């Protein structure tokens, strides 16, 4: 699906130009992001106002599949590899607590990909948010394929090499970076429209994967995918929030 721009109804004043803006994505305008402050590994805009809504993109915390094979327990099943390590569990809680501490009284909506490591990260982070904020609980977690990692068998290194050479590689069995970015943007637009006017999503937290996080953050900052490789890759358990205009 190709489209020129998405207006995010639930996070008023944010206009996202998507695939129609060029083969490498990104919008016209300043490709550099605004100044960010870092709170416990969570990046928050420095010039954030009390009325700003935010989109916070979180890469899932460390799972066993992120750990070298010789440094993890032997015999883990695929399902077990998709669970967080003890360090990852702690990091997920830290992200939630840091978001709650930094973002004041804003209400939140949470979503994650269908992967176990993303769901677990979101659940632990949301619980820490709730604990830090007391009675102000996040909205129920939405689990969606729109935030899943890129489909296809192409390794990350192959995709990155192609993008650095000017090609957004799409394997025969899967998606390009732009494909993954655009499906996430379509879902984000639909979710934002559905919640418009309810005031429930001043902060929309998206727990996803490294490839989608990079492509989505690059788009939100008006950068190309190639620029995103330099500026928008997140480590496991890292988060970056982007101001999205006035809260509904």
């Amino acid at each position: 699906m190709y489209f020129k721009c998405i207006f995010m109804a639930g996070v008023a004043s944010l206009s996202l130009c998507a695939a129609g803006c060029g083969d490498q994505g990104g919008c016209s305008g300043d490709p550099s992001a605004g100044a960010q402050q870092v709170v416990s590994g969570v990046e928050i805009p420095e010039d954030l106002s009390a009325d700003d809504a935010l989109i916070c993109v979180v890469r899932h915390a460390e799972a066993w599949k992120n750990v070298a094979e010789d440094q993890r327990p032997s015999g883990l099943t695929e399902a077990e590899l998709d669970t967080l390590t003890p360090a990852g569990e702690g990091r997920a809680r830290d992200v939630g607590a840091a978001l709650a501490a930094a973002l004041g009284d804003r209400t939140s909506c949470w979503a994650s990909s269908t992967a176990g490591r993303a769901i677990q990260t979101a659940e632990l982070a949301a619980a820490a948010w709730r604990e830090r904020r007391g009675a102000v609980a996040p909205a129920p977690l939405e689990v969606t394929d729109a935030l899943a990692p890129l489909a296809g068998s192409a390794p990350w290194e192959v995709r990155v090499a192609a993008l650095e050479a000017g090609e957004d590689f799409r394997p025969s069995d899967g998606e390009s970076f732009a494909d993954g970015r655009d499906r996430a943007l379509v879902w984000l637009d639909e979710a934002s429209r559905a919640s418009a006017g309810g005031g429930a999503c001043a902060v929309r937290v998206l727990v996803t994967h490294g490839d989608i996080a990079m492509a989505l953050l690059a788009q939100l900052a008006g950068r190309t995918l190639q620029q995103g490789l330099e500026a928008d890759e997140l480590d496991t358990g890292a988060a970056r929030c982007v101001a999205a205009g006035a809260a509904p």
Side-chain angles (χ1 to χ4, degrees):
M1 178 181 294
Y2 284 82
F3 43 92
K4 287 291 183 183
C5 292
I6 298 176
F7 175 70
M8 307 303 298
V11 283
S13 301
L14 177 64
S15 183
L16 298 177
C17 302
C21 295
D23 292 340
Q24 296 299 333
C27 304
S28 60
D30 186 357
S32 63
Q36 299 279 108
Q37 58 179 318
V38 181
V39 181
S40 297
V42 174
E43 297 181 41
I44 307 289
E46 282 189 352
D47 56 353
L48 189 64
S49 75
D51 294 330
D52 279 338
L54 293 103
I55 297 171
C56 295
V57 179
V58 182
R59 184 179 175 187
H60 66 80
E62 181 189 67
W64 285 113
K65 65 171 49 186
N66 300 126
V67 177
E69 190 171 353
D70 62 354
Q71 296 178 27
R72 65 192 186 207
S74 60
L76 293 178
T77 65
E78 281 300 312
E80 290 168 335
L81 287 170
D82 196 28
T83 61
L84 300 184
T85 65
E89 292 178 358
R91 178 62 199 149
R93 295 186 184 96
D94 288 345
V95 167
L99 286 171
L103 298 180
D105 294 330
R106 291 173 176 83
T107 55
S108 63
C109 289
W110 294 67
S112 83
S113 89
T114 55
R117 57 197 183 279
I119 294 172
Q120 191 179 2
T121 298
E123 289 177 340
L124 290 170
W129 170 293
R130 182 169 57 250
E131 181 178 351
R132 179 68 181 248
R133 296 284 297 277
V136 184
L141 176 66
E142 179 176 355
V143 177
T144 173
D145 285 330
L147 298 176
L150 293 177
S153 56
W156 171 259
E157 294 78 9
V158 171
R159 293 182 182 276
V160 168
L163 194 57
E164 289 175 339
E167 177 191 1
D168 184 14
F169 178 65
R170 179 189 292 117
S172 60
D173 62 345
E175 299 173 299
S176 66
F177 282 111
D179 293 334
R181 174 201 65 202
D182 291 350
R183 65 163 152 84
L185 287 173
V186 169
W187 171 83
L188 184 55
D189 181 51
E190 293 173 349
S192 297
R193 290 181 186 276
S195 64
C201 291
V203 180
R204 189 173 292 277
V205 184
L206 313 178
V207 182
T208 184
H209 304 263
D211 44 17
I212 300 300
M214 183 280 288
L216 191 53
L217 285 168
Q219 189 69 34
L220 293 172
R223 285 187 276 265
T224 67
L225 290 168
Q226 287 172 310
Q227 290 169 332
L229 285 177
E230 296 294 326
D232 299 305
E233 281 193 62
L234 295 181
D235 292 333
T236 53
R240 183 180 300 167
C241 296
V242 179

